[in-house]
Amino acid sequence: MFTAKQIEKLRNQLYKIYDDLCLNFKETDQEIWWPTPFYINPEEYEFRESYDLFNGNCGIVLFFLQLYQFDRNADHLRIINKAMHRILNAEEVLHPKSFALYTGLGGVIYNCLKIYEVTNDGFYKEKALTLTLHHEKQLTELLKADLLSGYCGNLLLLNLLYHYTNHPQVLNLVRLLIDRLIAEARISEQGLKWDYSRSKKAYDSMTGFSHGASGIAWVLLQVGQYFNASGLIYLAEEALRYEMQYFHQPAKNWLDLRLGPHRLNKPDVHEWRLETFLPEMTDVNSWAHGAAGIGLTRQMALQHTKQKDYQADCRNALERCLDDLKKLNRTDFTLVSGYCGMIPVLLSYQLTSQIDLILDQAGELHQRTNSYNTYVSSGIDDYGLLSGKTGVGYIILAILKGEGFDNILNPGLPHNDQKSILGHQYDEIQIKRSIFSKYYPRTLSKLKDFSAFEAEDIYNFRAKLQSEISKIRNDDIATSFNLESTLVDLWKKHKGYFSFRQKHKYWLKQAEKSLKLTDLELLHQFFRLSDRIKIYRPKQHRENEMLLLISDENGIREISVGVFIAIILNATEKEKMKGEELVKLLQSTLFEDSPNEKSLEELTKKMIQQIRLLIEAGFIEVCNINWIAK
């Protein structure tokens, strides 16, 4: 693929990085390590020590392990063993605070397994198993689901550990994490998503390889293939279907849905419309976020399923990368966020000239600045694998070794000859049964013989349920089905914890302004039902009988309300209703004859008190409150 001249140039660049690493490590009789820059404020960093794969010593050890496989220089093993001796005996590893694959203890365990793969040194396999069993709870209880810092990364890790140990408790941990993925899957407009909770500050569950749907799908594809579990492949494809909601054709890119403070300083942020944030969501393209990383999962999905839709996705990912390389206007060549993270996608198409261009520009930038990323001042001193200099050497090794899948940018699993061990437990029908049943528990409890779980998705499942119920003609079952179908429609629009936290801030401000109005002023205002409230009325219901379906930070909940509240909410559901008109409505509903003055006064007072409570609860809101405040 590369010419002899290009290979020689790559080797020279590789060994310059190697020499730089050797010049900058610290060494004692038993240990080797590299200091890691840590920012103590936005403008200043100091040197500490990190043991993770992302920017610490574990990542550098992986580079030396790859280098040993490439040139078989025994001195690399000396460096590896001394570096791992320090890592394995460090206080931060003996009593870890972080447990993720790329950013915590998971990376240490991963390193031990990778060293065992190459050297067959049983010490490292036993160390990986001991660390896992000692910290099994922490390794499986990470808050996030993602690949880089969540439990999906650990699922891949534990599967790898099981492959080499066949330990029954490790297999139990694999099951536990698969079960958690099934339990935490949530429906969307299309496909399934994860991390809808407080774990992510994003517009919706994220896209991308490091923190989003593609990384989760990558793990599910790997584990599904390993165990021949068709249900896990189904989940992976549903994650990719979800991600396609946020593919932006004009940019040939998947949107970066992260929302930092600068993106939230918009006047209409509470409306949570994608168009509000869209201009800033199309630009990012790297291994971590955007087409370069997403393209890796799409390639694997194409290889496994042969579906033509993935061909178009792969083509879009490649074209976006090529468009970015025509500009080459960023001075970041790191694996995580820079141009070198695009190389795996380019390698799969054997685009040697583009790869050559990236590495030439990386070399020139380093020669001028002593850094591969000038956006951060620590680039000069960062030897991290994903964040710094080591990553450039690592990707050069991947090129020279002719690697496909299974390096730190696309970690894989070995082939498994005994695939059926979890295949039946996690076949496609079993997975669908678990997911669909979450949304129709009341209906299914009354349809005891219903078993049509082969539906493509929740909407196709709903149609099958509806067809079955129409044959039975049971009002009780139909009532449950109609309510749960309404809940399904609300769930598919729910954008997760963070969206409602932002809306809630706005509601609190508006409510605070409204509650400062006098009773007389409130009577002259117009009210409307909050957009987070859905009124549900059973098909055969009494007047003013209703159920409130409330979307909030924690999901969707149901509450019943009394007649007095029901009248107010009914009136404000479809149109704005003035306070004075609400009093008249209550008067005509509650009194057959015109009430006397005292009764009307008491009714008005009671209604205003109730309105204040409903405003405070976020059920109704005053229209044009900003104008009132002026």
Side-chain angles (χ1 to χ4, degrees):
M1 185 169 69
F2 285 86
T3 66
K5 185 176 180 180
Q6 286 174 322
I7 290 172
E8 183 62 27
K9 184 170 64 174
L10 288 173
R11 287 176 65 95
N12 290 337
Q13 193 169 1
L14 168 66
Y15 284 105
K16 283 180 182 178
I17 293 169
Y18 163 75
D19 290 340
D20 198 9
L21 284 166
C22 289
L23 282 172
N24 284 279
F25 64 57
K26 310 293 183 182
E27 185 173 13
T28 66
D29 289 343
Q30 292 185 308
E31 299 176 335
I32 283 176
W33 71 97
W34 288 262
T36 307
F38 278 79
Y39 279 93
I40 54 178
N41 61 57
E43 306 297 329
E44 185 182 5
Y45 62 89
E46 65 184 18
F47 290 101
R48 301 179 193 172
E49 215 170 329
S50 168
Y51 297 98
D52 62 38
L53 285 174
F54 189 89
N55 71 338
N57 284 261
C58 274
I60 299 172
V61 167
L62 272 191
F63 166 79
F64 278 94
L65 188 65
Q66 293 275 13
L67 188 59
Y68 170 71
Q69 288 180 278
F70 176 66
D71 64 15
R72 292 294 166 179
N73 183 340
D75 189 59
H76 303 332
L77 288 180
R78 177 188 69 85
I79 293 172
I80 290 166
N81 288 323
K82 292 183 76 170
M84 287 304 295
H85 182 273
R86 184 175 180 88
I87 289 169
L88 291 171
N89 288 284
E91 180 67 19
E92 290 84 349
V93 173
L94 296 174
H95 301 95
K97 295 178 180 178
S98 178
F99 298 88
L101 175 58
Y102 287 82
T103 57
L105 182 68
V108 178
I109 298 169
Y110 181 81
N111 261 27
C112 289
L113 292 172
K114 287 296 171 181
I115 296 169
Y116 170 72
E117 279 184 0
V118 174
T119 67
N120 204 33
D121 186 342
F123 165 80
Y124 286 105
K125 182 174 75 169
E126 290 304 313
K127 201 68 181 176
L129 182 60
T130 301
L131 284 170
T132 297
L133 296 181
H134 188 66
H135 298 286
E136 60 181 61
K137 183 177 180 181
Q138 295 92 332
L139 288 164
T140 55
E141 291 188 352
L142 293 174
L143 184 62
K144 302 173 185 177
D146 67 44
L147 172 68
L148 190 133
S149 57
Y151 65 83
C152 262
N154 284 352
L155 172 58
L156 193 74
L157 168 69
L158 291 168
N159 199 152
L160 184 64
L161 179 61
Y162 174 72
H163 179 83
Y164 287 120
T165 64
N166 287 311
H167 197 286
Q169 182 56 19
V170 176
L171 183 60
N172 286 338
L173 297 177
V174 169
R175 284 196 187 98
L176 189 153
L177 287 181
I178 294 173
D179 290 344
R180 188 175 168 191
L181 272 168
I182 297 167
E184 294 184 4
R186 289 292 180 270
I187 58 171
S188 183
E189 296 285 356
Q190 65 182 45
L192 295 170
K193 63 183 179 180
W194 285 263
D195 283 338
Y196 65 96
S197 65
R198 68 185 66 200
S199 60
K200 294 287 176 67
K201 293 182 178 180
Y203 174 79
D204 199 352
S205 295
M206 286 171 61
T207 66
F209 199 78
S210 66
H211 291 300
S214 277
I216 293 170
W218 176 271
V219 173
L220 285 165
L221 285 168
Q222 295 273 355
V223 178
Q225 289 178 60
Y226 184 89
F227 289 115
N228 197 26
S230 59
L232 302 187
I233 305 300
Y234 168 76
L235 285 180
E237 293 204 82
E238 286 297 288
L240 296 180
R241 283 186 67 225
Y242 163 75
E243 193 170 54
M244 285 306 295
Q245 290 180 94
Y246 295 110
F247 176 71
H248 189 61
Q249 182 62 51
K252 295 177 184 175
N253 200 10
W254 287 261
L255 300 179
D256 175 11
L257 300 178
R258 292 173 295 173
L259 293 176
H262 66 289
R263 292 185 180 180
L264 293 171
N265 292 330
K266 297 177 184 291
D268 55 351
V269 67
H270 62 281
E271 295 177 7
W272 214 251
R273 292 181 295 107
L274 186 62
E275 293 76 14
T276 302
F277 311 105
L278 187 61
E280 297 168 307
M281 287 181 166
T282 61
D283 293 339
V284 177
N285 177 25
S286 64
W287 172 82
H289 304 277
I294 288 170
L296 297 175
T297 304
R298 304 280 160 170
Q299 286 179 346
M300 172 165 277
L302 177 61
Q303 287 182 10
H304 186 78
T305 68
K306 312 301 181 189
Q307 289 189 25
K308 291 184 179 180
D309 286 349
Y310 295 128
Q311 286 183 336
D313 298 342
C314 293
R315 184 170 59 252
N316 281 319
L318 175 63
E319 289 178 3
R320 173 58 195 244
C321 290
L322 293 177
D323 287 346
D324 286 352
L325 291 178
K326 289 174 185 175
K327 304 170 189 172
L328 210 63
N329 55 0
R330 300 183 66 245
T331 53
D332 181 355
F333 290 88
T334 61
L335 295 186
V336 67
S337 58
Y339 291 111
C340 283
M342 298 182 186
I343 289 177
V345 169
L346 301 174
L347 268 175
S348 63
Y349 292 95
Q350 299 186 7
L351 297 176
T352 56
S353 60
Q354 284 82 0
I355 295 170
D356 204 37
L357 173 66
I358 290 172
L359 292 171
D360 274 349
Q361 293 298 309
E364 288 181 16
L365 179 68
H366 188 267
Q367 192 171 11
R368 292 197 316 271
T369 66
N370 197 28
S371 172
Y372 288 113
N373 180 9
T374 62
Y375 289 96
V376 292
S377 57
S378 63
I380 293 172
D381 296 308
D382 191 340
Y383 288 91
L385 181 61
L386 287 167
S387 62
K389 299 181 180 184
T390 300
V392 179
Y394 184 87
I395 203 67
I396 291 172
L397 277 168
I399 296 166
L400 293 174
K401 291 171 64 182
E403 289 185 345
F405 292 132
D406 191 22
N407 60 54
I408 200 61
L409 294 185
N410 36 20
L413 292 171
H415 179 72
N416 175 24
D417 294 325
Q418 299 177 338
K419 288 191 171 183
S420 62
I421 189 168
L422 295 181
H424 176 70
Q425 184 178 351
Y426 297 114
D427 68 21
E428 190 168 334
I429 295 297
Q430 296 296 336
I431 296 285
K432 288 178 176 179
R433 182 189 300 272
S434 297
I435 291 172
F436 299 159
S437 297
K438 286 190 299 189
Y439 294 96
Y440 286 95
R442 287 167 278 201
T443 305
L444 291 172
S445 69
K446 297 168 185 175
L447 275 177
K448 298 188 183 299
D449 296 327
F450 185 80
S451 58
F453 290 99
E454 73 281 358
E456 179 184 346
D457 55 26
I458 190 70
Y459 310 112
N460 184 233
F461 180 73
R462 174 163 65 185
K464 289 180 181 292
L465 262 182
Q466 190 168 25
S467 176
E468 183 70 15
I469 292 168
S470 67
K471 298 173 187 174
I472 299 172
R473 297 185 179 180
N474 181 304
D475 289 342
D476 183 40
I477 296 175
T479 298
S480 294
F481 172 77
N482 290 334
L483 171 57
E484 289 179 326
S485 293
T486 303
L487 289 168
V488 163
D489 290 336
L490 291 176
W491 269 115
K492 73 179 184 180
K493 297 174 182 176
H494 198 286
K495 296 294 188 288
Y497 176 89
F498 190 63
S499 67
F500 281 93
R501 285 306 300 162
Q502 301 310 305
K503 291 179 180 182
H504 194 63
K505 291 178 184 177
Y506 175 81
W507 293 331
L508 284 177
K509 288 180 181 177
Q510 300 301 91
E512 187 178 346
K513 293 176 185 176
S514 301
L515 294 173
K516 288 179 179 177
L517 297 174
T518 66
D519 290 354
L520 185 60
E521 287 172 329
L522 273 177
L523 280 175
H524 288 86
Q525 306 312 315
F526 285 89
F527 300 93
R528 65 187 171 202
L529 192 70
S530 170
D531 61 5
R532 70 179 180 132
I533 305 296
K534 169 76 174 175
I535 295 177
Y536 176 77
R537 300 175 183 86
K539 205 167 189 179
Q540 297 175 337
H541 68 282
R542 295 186 297 273
E543 188 178 2
N544 292 319
E545 180 188 2
M546 64 172 63
L547 189 67
L548 294 189
L549 308 180
I550 305 171
S551 300
D552 61 19
E553 293 92 331
N554 299 309
I556 299 165
R557 54 194 170 96
E558 309 164 30
I559 66 168
S560 299
V561 296
V563 173
F564 195 75
I565 296 175
I567 294 171
I568 296 174
L569 297 181
N570 252 328
T572 57
E573 179 187 16
K574 294 180 180 178
E575 59 183 356
K576 301 171 186 177
M577 179 69 74
K578 200 170 185 180
E580 295 165 331
E581 295 171 346
L582 280 173
V583 174
K584 292 177 183 177
L585 179 64
L586 286 166
Q587 175 186 333
S588 63
T589 306
L590 299 176
F591 297 94
E592 292 184 6
D593 302 318
S594 297
N596 58 41
E597 187 175 335
K598 184 177 180 181
S599 296
L600 183 58
E601 185 179 331
E602 288 177 355
L603 176 64
T604 303
K605 185 177 180 181
K606 185 177 179 183
M607 192 210 70
I608 291 174
Q609 288 174 341
Q610 190 62 68
I611 282 177
R612 289 187 183 278
L613 290 172
L614 290 172
I615 290 172
E616 192 173 6
F619 288 9
I620 63 172
E621 56 192 27
V622 175
C623 306
N624 301 320
I625 187 64
N626 287 324
W627 176 81
I628 295 167
K630 293 176 182 177

